Amino acid sequence: MDKASPRLNRYFDVNGWLFVAPAVLLIAVFMVYPILYSLWMSFQTGRGMKMHFDLTANILRLFSDPMLGLALYNTMIFFIVQVPVMLILALLLATMLDDKRVRFRGLIRTAIFLPCVSSLVAYSVLFKSMFVQDGLVNTTLLDLGLISSPIPWMTDPFWSRVLIIIAITWRWTGYNMIFYLAALQNIDKSIHEAARIDGVPAYGRFFFLTVPMLKPVILFTTVTSTIGTLQLFDEVRNIMTSDAGGAAGPSNSALTLSVYIYNLTFKFMPNFGYAATVSYVIVIAVALLSLLQFYALRERT
């Protein structure tokens, strides 16, 4: 027993458990319990507080719900278009700011990063004022002769989707740029110098040296951007006007899965069970897309 005591003390140290207990308690209360309770709720059907257990009702409803189909369609459009555009733009900006010949790099970096740390309310108010019918964007494009009539950003289904993509890209490009910039600054400059001496052109050094060495950061930013886009809520709720019926943009053109879950819970007659079931559509989509990205960007040996 005495010989076993040191081994037991290693795993059941009272001071250690007391140290981690607050964090474990917070995780249990605010993460584990909500996950388990939402899973239980996904098997409840009914409206308001009048709910009863039904193992398959909500799952079957997923396949016959046109609003869910529209929300999933819009979310996939934002994911397919916005994530590649944002990540490519972030990489290009980081590459530009990594060049010591660029003047005012600190000021430019701060200006690009500022939207993702600014107040969401201030950001939304500014963004809406810029893209209204007679706002700064339309006025500038008209003055430059690039358009002949104002673009209906807020009232046309196509342009409302474009507006949301611009809003997300504008807000989060700087966040991803910081990761790329940090990774670029950690690359050994002698590698590029040796390639330059060997006659490798600039585009070759970028695509065949820089990009492969950035693969871990590309994987990280791709996965986090995918998760953020599939959970898209703030930009739609704050920029696109939602009426009493829960519409997100004209003809629900900006309705996303997260906004639909919000509508099911708070806008329509509360349907907590079905809202919990729809939330697992996001979980499954995030898991599948993340696995595909890990597979596509894995290190091959």
Side-chain angles (χ1 to χ4, degrees), residues 14 195 225 247 261 274 288-289:
V14 176
S225 298
I261 293 170
Y274 186 58
L288 291 177
L289 290 172

Side-chain angles (χ1 to χ4, degrees), residues 2-161:
D2 292 335
K3 294 181 179 179
S5 297
R7 184 177 298 176
L8 290 173
N9 290 335
R10 185 189 309 171
Y11 296 105
F12 297 99
D13 180 68
V14 176
N15 294 329
W17 280 105
L18 288 175
F19 180 77
V20 301
V24 172
L25 181 62
L26 288 174
I27 292 173
V29 172
F30 294 104
M31 291 187 66
V32 177
Y33 172 73
I35 292 173
L36 295 178
Y37 188 71
S38 68
L39 182 61
W40 167 254
M41 286 291 295
S42 66
F43 297 113
Q44 304 287 322
T45 186
R47 293 185 179 276
M49 302 306 294
K50 298 179 179 179
M51 303 180 67
H52 61 276
F53 182 83
D54 192 316
L55 188 63
T56 60
N58 290 327
I59 297 175
L60 293 175
R61 181 178 172 181
L62 292 175
F63 298 98
S64 60
D65 184 359
M67 291 298 291
L68 174 64
L70 178 60
L72 184 60
Y73 172 76
N74 290 335
T75 303
M76 288 298 105
I77 287 179
F78 295 142
F79 164 70
I80 293 170
V81 177
Q82 181 266 330
V83 171
V85 169
M86 179 176 63
L87 295 182
I88 292 172
L89 182 59
L91 179 57
L92 293 177
L93 290 171
T95 303
M96 179 192 72
L97 292 175
D98 189 48
D99 189 345
K100 294 182 179 179
R101 295 172 297 179
V102 177
R103 302 182 62 184
F104 307 112
R105 290 190 299 164
L107 180 62
I108 297 172
R109 182 174 61 245
T110 302
I112 297 172
F113 185 72
L114 187 61
C116 73
V117 295
S118 61
S119 167
L120 178 61
V121 175
Y123 170 82
S124 301
V125 170
L126 176 62
F127 207 86
K128 289 180 69 173
S129 66
M130 291 175 60
F131 284 88
V132 292
Q133 195 81 354
D134 56 348
L136 177 63
V137 173
N138 277 337
T139 302
T140 303
L141 293 176
L142 287 169
D143 291 342
L144 294 175
L146 298 177
I147 57 175
S148 57
S149 60
I151 297 175
W153 299 102
M154 302 286 186
T155 57
D156 181 80
F158 172 79
W159 289 110
S160 65
R161 292 190 180 107

Side-chain angles (χ1 to χ4, degrees), residues 135-288:
L136 177 63
V137 173
N138 277 337
T139 302
T140 303
L141 293 176
L142 287 169
D143 291 342
L144 294 175
L146 298 177
I147 57 175
S148 57
S149 60
I151 297 175
W153 299 102
M154 302 286 186
T155 57
D156 181 80
F158 172 79
W159 289 110
S160 65
R161 292 190 180 107
V162 173
L163 177 59
I164 294 299
I165 292 171
I166 294 173
I168 310 169
T169 303
W170 189 352
R171 190 177 185 203
W172 294 113
T173 294
Y175 174 83
N176 293 290
M177 180 198 70
I178 294 298
F179 289 102
Y180 287 130
L181 185 57
L184 286 170
Q185 292 174 346
N186 285 323
I187 293 177
D188 189 352
K189 302 302 180 184
S190 63
I191 299 175
H192 285 273
E193 185 64 21
R196 187 186 64 80
I197 294 174
D198 288 340
V200 180
Y203 70 87
R205 298 197 298 271
F206 178 78
F207 286 106
F208 299 108
L209 287 177
T210 302
V211 172
M213 287 188 286
L214 292 178
K215 187 177 290 187
V217 181
I218 293 174
L219 176 61
F220 171 78
T221 54
T222 302
V223 171
T224 54
S225 298
T226 297
I227 294 172
T229 303
L230 293 180
Q231 295 178 338
L232 178 61
F233 179 81
D234 293 335
E235 284 78 4
V236 176
R237 284 290 303 158
N238 288 277
I239 295 175
M240 304 306 299
T241 302
S242 295
D243 58 21
S251 302
N252 276 311
S253 56
L255 181 69
T256 63
L257 289 172
S258 294
V259 175
Y260 186 45
I261 293 170
Y262 172 84
N263 289 342
L264 286 170
T265 307
F266 299 107
K267 282 285 184 180
F268 308 148
M269 178 67 72
N271 195 327
F272 305 117
Y274 186 58
T277 305
V278 175
S279 70
Y280 279 93
V281 174
I282 299 179
V283 173
I284 294 171
V286 168
L288 291 177

